[in-house]
C-alpha cells in the first residue's frame, strides 16, 4: 500500500503537474481552494474509472470538517482500490487548503495513471500472447506505414517474441553443428586428396615398369606393393614357350 503524505516536489515534478493541469483545463490560480474538497478529484476518477466512483457519495461541502469526511470516504472507497492511501494529516492539509498539498496529490495521481497505463499495456500483451498460443504462432496485423506524404495501413506478419527467441537459440545450435561437420569434411577432403595423389604415383610406377621389362625379355614378372611407398619386383617370373609341334603344350 502506497502512503501519500507531506513532501516537497522538485521543479521537474511541479512542471509535470502544471502541464497535466493545462491538458485537463484545470486552473492553477484557485487550485488550493478547488481541491480542498474531494469532488474535483472524484470527477477526475469518475472520468477515467466510471465504474469505481459514484459522485453521489461526495456532495460539495463548505466546512472543513465535512470536507475532511469526504476525503476520508474517498480514501477508503476509491484510493484503497488502487493500492494508495492518504494519511490523516495529509487529508487535513487538503481540507484546509494548505499550499502545495494539492500539487503533491495530483502528482501522485499522475504516477497512478502511468502505472495503470503500463499495467493495461502489459495485460494487453499477455492477452494477445495467450490468444496467439491458443490459435496460430503467426499472426497478420495491420500497421501504419508512411508512403510518400501519406499514411497507409498495410498487413504485416508477426510472431511471438518468445517463439523468436527459441528459434534464434535453435538456429545458433544448428550453426555450431554445421560448423563442426564442415571442419570434418574439410579434413576428410584433405586426406582424400593426399591418398589420391599417392595412388596416382603408384599407378604411374605400375604403368612404367611392365613396359620397361617387356622390351628386355619375354618373361611376365609380377610387382608387389611393400607398404613403404615403393614397388618391389618379385623374383618369381614365368615364361611361356609355345611348342612347335603341340600348340597347346607349355613349359614353365
Amino acid at each position: 500500500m502506497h502512503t501519500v503524505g507531506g513532501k516537497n516536489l522538485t521543479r521537474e515534478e511541479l512542471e509535470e503537474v502544471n502541464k497535466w493541469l493545462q491538458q485537463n483545463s484545470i486552473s492553477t490560480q484557485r487550485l488550493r481552494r478547488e481541491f480542498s474538497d474531494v469532488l474535483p478529484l472524484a470527477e477526475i476518477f469518475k472520468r477515467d474509472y466510471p465504474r469505481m466512483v459514484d459522485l453521489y457519495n461526495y456532495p460539495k461541502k463548505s466546512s472543513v470538517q465535512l470536507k475532511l469526511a469526504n476525503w476520508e470516504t474517498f480514501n477508503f472507497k476509491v484510493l484503497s482500490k488502487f493500492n494508495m492511501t492518504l494519511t490523516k494529516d495529509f487529508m487535513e492539509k487538503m481540507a484546509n487548503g494548505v499550499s502545495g498539498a494539492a500539487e503533491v496529490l495530483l502528482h501522485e495521481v499522475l504516477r497512478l495513471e502511468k502505472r495503470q497505463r503500463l499495467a493495461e499495456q502489459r495485460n494487453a500483451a499477455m492477452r494477445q500472447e495467450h490468444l496467439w498460443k491458443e490459435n496460430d504462432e503467426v499472426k497478420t496485423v495491420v500497421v501504419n506505414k508512411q508512403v510518400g506524404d501519406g499514411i497507409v495501413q498495410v498487413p504485416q506478419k508477426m510472431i511471438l517474441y518468445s517463439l523468436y527467441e527459441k528459434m534464434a537459440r535453435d538456429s545458433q545450435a544448428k550453426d555450431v553443428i554445421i560448423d563442426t561437420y564442415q571442419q570434418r569434411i574439410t579434413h576428410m577432403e584433405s586426406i582424400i586428396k593426399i591418398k589420391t595423389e599417392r595412388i596416382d604415383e603408384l599407378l604411374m610406377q605400375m604403368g612404367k615398369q611392365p613396359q620397361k621389362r617387356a622390351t628386355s625379355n619375354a618373361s611376365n614378372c609380377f610387382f608387389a606393393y611393400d607398404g613403404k611407398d615403393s614397388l618391389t619386383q618379385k623374383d618369381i617370373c614365368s615364361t611361356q614357350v609355345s611348342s612347335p609341334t603341340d600348340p597347346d603344350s607349355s613349359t614353365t
Side-chain angles (χ1 to χ4, degrees), residues 122-135:
R122 184 168 56 251
N123 292 335
M126 292 177 63
R127 286 194 300 269
Q128 184 66 50
E129 185 170 346
H130 181 69
L131 181 62
W132 284 2
K133 287 182 178 180
E134 288 182 349
N135 297 289

Side-chain angles (χ1 to χ4, degrees), residues 126-162:
M126 292 177 63
R127 286 194 300 269
Q128 184 66 50
E129 185 170 346
H130 181 69
L131 181 62
W132 284 2
K133 287 182 178 180
E134 288 182 349
N135 297 289
D136 299 328
E137 294 177 341
V138 180
K139 285 291 182 180
T140 301
V141 298
V142 178
V143 297
N144 294 328
K145 185 176 181 180
Q146 184 171 2
V147 178
D149 296 332
I151 302 294
V152 297
Q153 292 185 336
V154 294
Q156 182 174 336
K157 291 185 177 181
M158 301 183 68
I159 64 172
L160 297 176
Y161 187 75
S162 57

Side-chain angles (χ1 to χ4, degrees), residues 134-201:
E134 288 182 349
N135 297 289
D136 299 328
E137 294 177 341
V138 180
K139 285 291 182 180
T140 301
V141 298
V142 178
V143 297
N144 294 328
K145 185 176 181 180
Q146 184 171 2
V147 178
D149 296 332
I151 302 294
V152 297
Q153 292 185 336
V154 294
Q156 182 174 336
K157 291 185 177 181
M158 301 183 68
I159 64 172
L160 297 176
Y161 187 75
S162 57
L163 179 62
Y164 164 77
E165 287 185 323
K166 181 179 182 300
M167 293 175 65
R169 290 193 298 268
D170 293 343
S171 177
Q172 291 178 354
K174 291 178 181 178
D175 288 342
V176 173
I177 295 174
I178 291 173
D179 185 63
T180 301
Y181 279 109
Q182 187 64 45
Q183 292 178 4
R184 293 182 180 179
I185 290 173
T186 303
H187 179 65
M188 293 300 297
E189 288 177 345
S190 176
I191 294 177
I192 291 173
K193 182 179 179 181
I194 294 174
K195 294 294 184 182
T196 301
E197 292 176 352
R198 190 62 198 143
I199 289 173
D200 290 342
E201 290 182 15

Side-chain angles (χ1 to χ4, degrees), residues 16 20 23 37 45 50 52 73 93-94 111 129 138-139 156 163 165 187 189 192 199 208 218 221 224 235 240 246 251:
E16 187 178 8
W20 181 86
Q23 293 173 349
D37 189 59
F45 273 79
M52 302 185 66
T73 303
K93 289 181 179 180
M94 290 297 301
R111 293 180 58 189
E129 185 170 346
V138 180
K139 285 291 182 180
Q156 182 174 336
L163 179 62
E165 287 185 323
H187 179 65
E189 288 177 345
I192 291 173
I199 289 173
K208 289 180 180 180
C221 299
D235 293 334
Q240 280 190 338
D246 187 1
T251 304

Side-chain angles (χ1 to χ4, degrees), residues 241-243 245-250:
V241 179
S242 298
S243 173
T245 58
D246 187 1
D248 297 329
S249 63
S250 62

Side-chain angles (χ1 to χ4, degrees), residues 10-73:
T10 64
R11 184 170 64 180
E12 291 78 10
E13 291 172 340
L14 284 173
E15 291 177 354
E16 187 178 8
V17 171
N18 291 330
K19 183 178 179 181
W20 181 86
L21 291 172
Q22 293 177 2
Q23 293 173 349
N24 289 270
S25 301
I26 300 175
S27 176
T28 59
Q29 296 179 356
R30 302 181 60 187
L31 190 64
R32 289 188 302 165
R33 183 178 179 85
E34 292 292 335
F35 278 86
S36 63
D37 189 59
V38 78
L39 183 59
L41 184 63
E43 291 174 344
I44 294 173
F45 273 79
K46 180 67 175 180
R47 179 196 63 191
D48 297 334
Y49 316 102
R51 296 183 179 181
M52 302 185 66
V53 180
D54 188 357
L55 294 179
Y56 292 103
N57 293 326
Y58 314 102
K60 190 172 181 63
K61 302 296 183 180
S62 57
S63 68
V64 174
Q65 292 299 323
L66 293 178
K67 290 180 180 179
L68 182 59
N70 270 355
W71 278 109
E72 291 175 346
T73 303

